[in-house]
Amino acid sequence: MTKKDRTNSDWSAARPLLPASGPRRQALYRELRDQIVDGRLCPGDKLPTTRDIAARFGIARGAAVAAYEMLAADGFAEARVGAGTYVAAAVPSLPRAASPRLRNAPDAVAPLPGTLGCSTADATTLRIFRMLMNRHLTNPSPRHFHYNDPAGSHALRVEIAAYLKAARGVNCDPQQVIMTSGTQQALDLTIRALLKAGDRVWIEDPCYVMARKVFAANGMEIVPVPVDGEGLDVAAGARLAPQARAVYVTPSHQYPLGVTLSMARRLQLIDWAQRAGGYIIEDDYDSEFRFSGPPLSALQGIDGEGRVIYVGTFSKTLLPGFRIGYLVVPWAVRDRVLDVRRLTDRFPSTLAEDALAEFLRDGHFSGHVKRARRRLRSARDALMTALEEAGVEDGGLHVVPPEQGLHLVAHLPAGSNDVALVQIAADAGFGVRALSPLYADSTNKRGLVIGFSGFEAEVLAQAARRFIRDPRFVALSGR
């Protein structure tokens, strides 16, 4: 069949738009005209015969003939003697109201240097993963062809449990590991399984905003607990809400301030959880990237009462596109969490899991982390050098080099407008986040949270220099 003979044979969607009575020809005209203008009917497409369309819609053939004549008169269709009616070659343009549908939406633009949440994967890591994925696609496991364990691949959970025991001091059996699509899903599963609307939950102040939002979205009563140089102030939390049901904490590298929860505070927190019957949700989001000092053990490793739910992710260590994270749950709550998982997501991607299990088992992950740590240290140092040009002594940015993680905080004088500086930074091609909105309430703390993962050191430094040399930065930074 040639293009000029092609006929759109599916008119079922138009039927509800035709009124049960009244001017049927006008309704049919509008429907056909809209399909032509929207591109559902293309120039040269053949329209059904008037007899056929009248029979399909249960209308008089005269109404169909009239609708076709109106289309032809307005330039949307053309009748060809002995051949039928076709969509016109040149269709008139009509002014149309803005449609909520997105057509040909552009792909996401590349993030600006300094943007948080960018990955650390390099060419070597991607090459190895490409090889592993190809291997598992060429000789696929039967697991890929049916529904699987909602906890995830047993082989991968074995590797993760072994890694966490060696690297983070986590005490767990592979059966306690539950694979997720990242931290956000891990938090949501935990909340749905263990908490209920109205429960009070301690949240670090300032905090990771997406964590606060997921607790609030599930109906929790948020209790902001201040963070100081030792991390979460447990005594303050106990005064504010002694019988809270849970606490969300980032003890190894508090987001965003970067402080570490002291051992005294860790023991206080575990003691509180035991007395209150609450849960500690430990988000260990970037612990692999420590640049100096001894590695910090996870809070979960010193919990002997099953009060800690440990949350980890490969989004920071590998790349967010893999969508692989995990929970380590106490035995007492495992079945409840898995029940929620079955209802919401069934099970993780078996193909990605098999590739990652092999990546861990064969030692590729440790090599990747070592390479990533070198790149991150270089990027951190270059960013620090550039930011220090703003000068601590003259009241500009105050930056302490972080010993761990993927971001730093550049503190500003109390009178600064850190929110306005975000746009100035973006104009300079530098991606930053304001510190003050990360607090639950108004604060005089001002600063910029800047990522250094996923960017070449010199590219990051150049973007920072453009920003701090902008006259508007000088005016708004309180210098």
Side-chain angles (χ1 to χ4, degrees):
M1 180 183 292
T2 64
K3 176 175 172 42
K4 71 176 183 177
D5 293 325
R6 188 176 68 240
T7 301
N8 188 320
S9 59
D10 183 10
W11 296 90
S12 57
R15 182 185 294 273
L17 301 179
L18 300 181
S21 61
R24 314 296 293 283
R25 65 180 183 278
Q26 193 72 30
L28 180 59
Y29 162 78
R30 283 196 302 269
E31 173 61 25
L32 294 177
R33 183 197 64 188
D34 288 348
Q35 291 203 26
I36 292 169
V37 171
D38 288 348
R40 287 173 285 169
L41 291 173
C42 302
D45 279 359
K46 185 178 181 180
L47 300 179
T49 65
T50 55
R51 180 177 285 105
D52 184 34
I53 204 166
R56 288 171 186 263
F57 292 153
I59 62 176
R61 186 183 176 196
V65 170
Y68 277 31
E69 289 175 345
M70 293 167 65
L71 288 170
D74 289 346
F76 294 102
E78 56 187 19
R80 301 177 187 174
V81 177
T85 304
Y86 294 79
V87 177
V91 175
S93 297
L94 292 180
R96 298 183 61 82
S99 171
R101 292 177 296 176
L102 296 177
R103 297 181 187 146
N104 300 320
D107 292 335
V109 297
L112 296 175
T115 301
L116 299 167
C118 296
S119 71
T120 61
D122 59 8
T124 300
T125 296
L126 294 176
R127 176 181 55 78
I128 294 170
F129 258 106
R130 184 166 56 249
M131 175 191 69
L132 294 175
M133 293 290 279
N134 285 339
R135 179 185 302 170
H136 288 286
L137 281 171
T138 302
N139 186 23
S141 164
R143 292 194 323 115
H144 305 326
F145 298 95
H146 61 86
Y147 290 97
N148 276 278
D149 190 333
S153 157
H154 179 71
L156 178 56
R157 289 185 283 127
V158 166
E159 297 300 331
I160 289 174
Y163 165 74
L164 291 176
K165 181 178 180 179
R168 306 295 302 121
V170 171
N171 295 318
C172 70
D173 183 276
Q175 295 296 332
Q176 293 175 264
V177 179
I178 297 174
M179 303 308 301
T180 72
S181 66
T183 297
Q184 209 66 15
Q185 186 189 40
L187 294 177
D188 189 58
L189 289 174
T190 301
I191 292 167
R192 290 171 184 265
L194 305 181
L195 304 175
K196 63 182 185 300
D199 282 348
R200 307 190 81 187
V201 177
W202 297 1
I203 300 287
E204 296 170 320
D205 191 26
C207 76
Y208 174 50
V209 172
M210 292 301 290
R212 184 167 63 201
K213 287 184 175 181
V214 74
F215 282 102
N218 280 282
M220 306 297 106
E221 182 182 341
I222 304 300
V223 180
V225 178
V227 172
D228 59 22
E230 292 188 69
L232 182 85
D233 188 339
V234 180
R239 288 193 301 271
L240 292 166
Q243 297 303 314
R245 289 289 298 138
V247 53
Y248 169 78
V249 64
T250 51
S252 295
H253 187 230
Q254 199 275 333
Y255 181 88
L257 297 180
V259 298
T260 300
L261 189 66
S262 68
M263 181 55 70
R265 293 272 179 91
R266 290 173 186 237
L267 295 175
Q268 288 175 16
L269 189 58
I270 290 174
D271 181 64
W272 166 81
Q274 292 173 358
R275 286 185 287 103
Y279 292 103
I280 301 168
I281 303 171
E282 177 181 13
D283 185 353
D284 204 28
Y285 66 99
D286 66 1
S287 59
E288 288 82 1
F289 301 114
R290 186 162 181 82
F291 307 116
S292 62
L296 301 170
S297 295
L299 186 62
Q300 192 270 1
I302 58 174
D303 168 34
E305 300 294 328
R307 308 313 305 178
V308 176
I309 289 90
Y310 181 89
V311 179
T313 179
F314 289 100
S315 292
K316 302 295 189 295
T317 50
L318 292 171
L319 65 159
F322 277 123
R323 304 311 307 138
I324 298 180
Y326 49 89
L327 280 168
V328 177
V329 298
W331 284 108
V333 304
R334 179 180 182 272
D335 288 346
R336 278 185 276 170
V337 176
L338 285 178
D339 284 344
V340 176
R341 180 61 189 269
R342 288 186 186 93
L343 294 174
T344 58
D345 193 39
R346 293 299 294 270
F347 66 96
S349 163
T350 56
L351 179 61
E353 283 188 325
D354 282 0
L356 180 56
E358 197 167 344
F359 191 79
L360 287 165
R361 186 195 66 207
D362 293 348
H364 298 304
F365 183 69
S366 60
H368 161 77
V369 169
K370 290 177 183 177
R371 295 191 303 273
R373 194 180 291 130
R374 288 194 296 268
R375 292 196 310 276
L376 287 165
R377 183 193 293 271
S378 176
R380 180 203 63 174
D381 293 346
L383 177 60
M384 285 288 303
T385 299
L387 292 175
E388 285 170 352
E389 294 180 12
V392 174
E393 66 282 354
D394 61 0
L397 296 171
H398 175 63
V399 189
V400 176
E403 295 182 348
Q404 178 177 315
L406 310 175
H407 76 273
L408 57 78
V409 180
H411 295 276
L412 291 157
S416 305
N417 188 339
D418 55 356
V419 174
L421 285 171
V422 171
Q423 184 56 55
I424 294 171
D427 293 343
F430 190 40
V432 303
R433 176 171 292 177
L435 175 64
S436 60
L438 303 182
Y439 285 84
D441 298 312
S442 61
T443 177
N444 63 357
K445 304 291 180 60
R446 298 291 185 269
L448 300 173
V449 186
I450 309 169
F452 49 83
S453 171
F455 305 101
E456 295 294 332
E458 188 52 36
V459 171
L460 195 59
Q462 289 175 357
R465 291 189 184 98
R466 287 194 302 269
F467 167 55
I468 62 177
R469 291 170 182 169
D470 190 308
R472 295 175 296 170
F473 166 75
V474 176
L476 287 173
S477 65
R479 293 171 61 182

